[in-house]
Amino acid sequence: MTRPCKIGVQLPEVERFVPWPELIAMARAAETVGFDSIWLGDHLLYDLPDGTVRGPWEVFTSMAALAAATTRVQIGSLVASLGFHEPAMLAKMAATVDGISGGRLILGVGAGWNQREYNAFGISYDHRVDRFEEAFGLIRRLLAGETVTHTGTYYSLDRCVVDPPASRLGGPMLMLGSNSPRMLSIGLPHVDQWNVWWTLFGNTPEGLAAVIADVRARTIAAGRAPDEVEATACVYVRVPGGAGRTMGDPTMSKIAPVAGSAEQVAEQLSAFAAVGATHLQLVVDPITQDSIEWLGQVLALLDA
């Protein structure tokens, strides 16, 4: 394979209600046409611009089902909000999904942002990054196989151990879903990958290059080689039939998608790889099985 970087696809989240059999079919189609990974967001609900409320399926139970329904693709959370879960239980769930998948889990983590869903589900929104820092330290130690006793500001554990352990030695791959300075200072010493959402770099290779340069400098400051932590990026792609994506944050719609023929889309995705991206997660308009199968042409061109 000569693909310039790994290519994944984010499965539906807020765009529309997706019955569970359709989600399984989409995951299997993504595996069949050659995607490297499939991704699910971790959200509880959104207020949409038309006044309706919509939420996706729960992320960890969904990833477990998709892991059982596929055999090859990596499966990732894009990204799990640590504020939604007690850290020891999140580690337990992640190890279970990793076991079901045979070591294919990428555990993407972040601090969350949508206060509406925190309030709706009775979850504390204050001190999100402080809570993330404490929880992240516990999760990575538990997934690495440690027995952890801890009394902190937000969490307490007593001789906690995750057993059975994750399938992947040392725990699943960890990905930080943030490029804010403080979150990077917490995550870069420990994660395998970092991720940036397409709106934060304008959905252009030039914008992504600037973010990668900044994170590389911060990675060096954290005591690691500049490319030791892989750069991953979400890219907004419109395929034939796309008419605009329903989004939890309507301001996102002002940024132009990657679009055109299969050849043009492949060329544009190659440009993101050329500036340093090792893994792209495609956010697709419309996100349907037909779109996933159309993108198989793009993957074939990237492999050629």
Side-chain angles (χ1 to χ4, degrees):
M1 181 179 292
T2 57
R3 189 172 297 180
C5 69
K6 289 185 176 182
I7 306 289
V9 61
Q10 185 190 38
L11 298 181
E13 179 186 82
V14 69
E15 299 87 344
R16 58 191 172 86
F17 169 69
V18 179
W20 187 251
E22 182 182 353
L23 199 67
I24 290 284
M26 292 172 72
R28 288 174 169 159
E31 184 165 72
T32 297
V33 303
F35 277 97
D36 297 294
S37 56
I38 54 177
W39 299 82
L40 293 175
D42 183 14
H43 285 284
L44 306 176
L45 58 81
Y46 288 102
D47 288 328
L48 298 182
D50 65 1
T52 60
V53 177
R54 185 178 297 152
W57 299 106
E58 194 282 321
V59 66
F60 281 94
T61 44
S62 296
M63 289 195 297
L66 295 181
T70 58
T71 60
R72 178 188 58 78
V73 287
Q74 291 180 294
I75 298 169
S77 52
L78 193 66
V79 292
S81 172
L82 299 196
F84 292 169
H85 315 274
E86 288 294 317
M89 281 305 302
L90 188 148
K92 181 74 172 179
M93 292 187 294
T96 300
V97 174
D98 198 56
I100 294 168
S101 69
R104 291 183 282 137
L105 176 65
I106 300 175
L107 179 60
V109 296
W113 61 272
N114 183 15
Q115 187 171 358
R116 167 73 168 94
E117 55 194 343
Y118 282 76
N119 294 345
F121 280 76
I123 300 167
S124 296
Y125 188 75
D126 64 309
H127 305 290
R128 283 179 301 123
V129 180
D130 290 339
R131 292 176 187 273
F132 173 90
E133 184 170 22
E134 187 174 335
F136 178 65
L138 297 172
I139 290 164
R140 61 181 180 78
R141 290 172 61 195
L142 288 165
L143 288 174
E146 291 187 37
T147 298
V148 178
T149 295
H150 171 85
T151 301
T153 304
Y154 304 104
Y155 306 106
S156 297
L157 303 178
D158 179 21
R159 295 170 295 163
C160 184
V161 62
V162 170
D163 185 73
S167 290
R168 185 175 180 270
L169 186 64
M173 293 184 69
L174 295 176
M175 183 182 80
L176 179 68
S178 175
N179 65 322
S180 72
R182 187 176 172 206
M183 289 287 284
L184 288 169
S185 72
I186 295 166
L188 285 177
H190 309 289
V191 294
D192 304 289
Q193 303 175 340
W194 61 271
N195 176 263
V196 61
W197 187 249
W198 55 274
T199 56
L200 299 178
F201 61 90
N203 210 44
T204 67
E206 297 78 15
L208 180 59
V211 176
I212 289 175
D214 177 71
V215 177
R216 282 174 171 163
R218 296 180 188 278
T219 304
I220 294 170
R224 303 180 73 177
D227 293 320
E228 187 177 349
V229 185
E230 297 180 359
T232 81
C234 298
V235 176
Y236 180 29
V237 177
R238 181 169 295 165
V239 305
R245 181 175 178 263
T246 299
M247 303 180 190
D249 179 357
T251 63
M252 295 180 181
S253 62
K254 298 177 182 178
I255 298 175
V258 168
S261 66
E263 290 79 7
Q264 289 169 324
V265 171
E267 182 178 0
Q268 292 171 80
L269 295 182
S270 293
F272 289 104
V275 300
T278 63
H279 202 146
L280 300 177
Q281 297 95 346
L282 306 188
V283 181
V284 183
D285 169 29
I287 180 58
T288 63
Q289 185 173 339
D290 286 345
S291 295
I292 288 171
E293 292 171 350
W294 185 90
L295 286 163
Q297 305 171 69
V298 175
L299 298 177
L301 289 166
L302 289 170
D303 290 341

